[in-house]
Amino acid sequence: MNKVVKNAEEAIKGMSDNMTVMFGGFGLCGIPENVIRVLAQTQIKGLVCISNNCGVDDFGLGFLLKNKQIRKMVASYVGENAEFERQMLSGELEVELNPQGTLAERIRAGGAGIPAFFVPAGYGTEVAIGKEEREFNGKMHILEHALTADFAVVKAWKGDTNGNLIYKYTASNFNNMMAMAGKITIAEVEELVPAGQLDPNFIHTPGIFVQRIFQGVNYEKRIEQVTTSNPK
Amino acid sequence: MGLDKNQIAKRIAQELKDGYYVNLGIGIPTLVANYVPENIEVTLQSENGLLGIGPFPTPNKVEADLINAGKQTVTYVDGASFFDSATSFAMIRGGHVDLTILGAFEVSEEGDIASWKVPGKLVKGMGGAMDLVASAKNIIVAMQHSNKGQSKILKKCTLPLTGVKCVKRIVTDLAVMDVTPNGFKLLERAPGVTVEEIIAATEGKLIIEGEIPEMKL
């Protein structure tokens, strides 16, 4: 078993036009910077991207958006990106907006082998249009379908050569479920260690979900809104 | 006249109870954290994966991997925990969060809420708002009573909905109201604001019973 690849270029081998690709992260927190950077240098286009957000104009998935590599975006909140809004309103970009918890659960379900499930979120709103509705315990629910992807690209803090992953603070977000939902899951990590060096008690994503792993370089870790308080 | 944003937050903070797990939306709701009464302990949930939000960090403690749902840098308190988004929304959908406080463009007398989309204008997305309003045990909306003379407390929402029949209580710059089967029940008025002014600013059905007290801030 060898899951370790050299870098992002090697990790995305086999990715091609019109594939469905999941990208972990919430805003710019916990995004796979290395893979996005390298993908933006390829000619791969027509991608269906599943990600909670779509980066900002000059970072994250915003790079792929600017290059028009994304055909369809499945997300929950895209408010920080003017180019996104422009492409969506002009019809160049197809967009499917999901309630955030529904998006998270659709991905988890995809990875867990559950094809569909009922949730109350979105009932009575435009999200419910065309979806089966059913009452459970006196409350209305709508049917949501699982999501899977040709590739899932996630970012972790630490990983080992078996693909076990640990996230830092709030950078787990969508990464943990997306790792489960990719036919091929690529994990880029800040620190890659030999198997046996991470405490098995504290693994977030078990290695079975990860097919390719590499140690990323030059993490910028950009912050969307630096908010501080005064030292006491 | 009426309350400013901080005063709305201060009034809402009076709804908090010891031991509550609370999700605060972006905007005015975030300010509620500044007014938690000293004798009670509440735990703030951030739907991107943090239970136990602390204050903003000092400049030397800013951490890119530690943000709230508004993508602002934060800290965490002792006893906090981090988790993924599916677990986070299991807390919300599963009814484990006691109180959700969020903003709105409009609410209706049936408790419908519109807070995420203005057709043809800004495209942002609903984020976690639809999940929160559909599942929270208790929802308080923090909002302006009207905008440029147009009431936002309506018979029916005009904008795309975030959720139906879910809002329990509304705190605006003018009043505190409950959503009841018969309409908005006026509970309190902002200091210096008259019942007549509230009636004039409310399009939906307003129920006024007896003397309406002023808010205590």
Side-chain angles (χ1 to χ4, degrees), chain A residues 85-151:
Chain A
E85 190 170 334
R86 192 196 65 72
Q87 287 189 21
M88 179 173 171
L89 291 175
S90 72
E92 291 165 63
L93 178 71
E94 192 183 336
V95 179
E96 180 195 306
L97 290 171
N98 289 254
Q100 195 179 324
T102 295
L103 181 62
E105 194 63 16
R106 290 179 72 192
I107 296 162
R108 198 197 73 81
I114 299 167
F117 54 90
F118 282 95
V119 285
Y123 172 76
T125 76
E126 63 186 61
V127 166
I129 294 170
K131 290 175 185 163
E132 187 183 330
E133 299 178 350
R134 203 187 288 186
E135 187 181 318
F136 294 95
N137 305 320
K139 187 168 176 164
M140 291 305 293
H141 293 72
I142 59 175
L143 185 69
E144 293 284 1
H145 287 81
L147 288 170
T148 54
D150 298 303
F151 280 86

Side-chain angles (χ1 to χ4, degrees), chain A residues 27-83:
Chain A
L28 299 180
C29 178
I31 61 171
E33 291 184 23
N34 280 246
V35 167
I36 292 171
R37 208 184 292 139
V38 164
L39 198 52
Q41 289 158 12
T42 71
Q43 302 298 315
I44 298 172
K45 59 183 188 306
L47 295 175
V48 176
C49 290
I50 302 172
S51 179
N52 189 57
N53 316 88
C54 197
V56 295
D57 281 317
D58 60 346
F59 201 61
L61 290 181
F63 287 141
L64 304 188
L65 203 60
K66 206 186 296 174
N67 296 344
K68 309 216 169 135
Q69 292 174 282
I70 304 175
R71 174 174 63 82
K72 179 179 175 180
M73 191 71 211
V74 180
S76 95
Y77 189 85
V78 291
E80 325 297 343
N81 196 320
E83 175 63 11

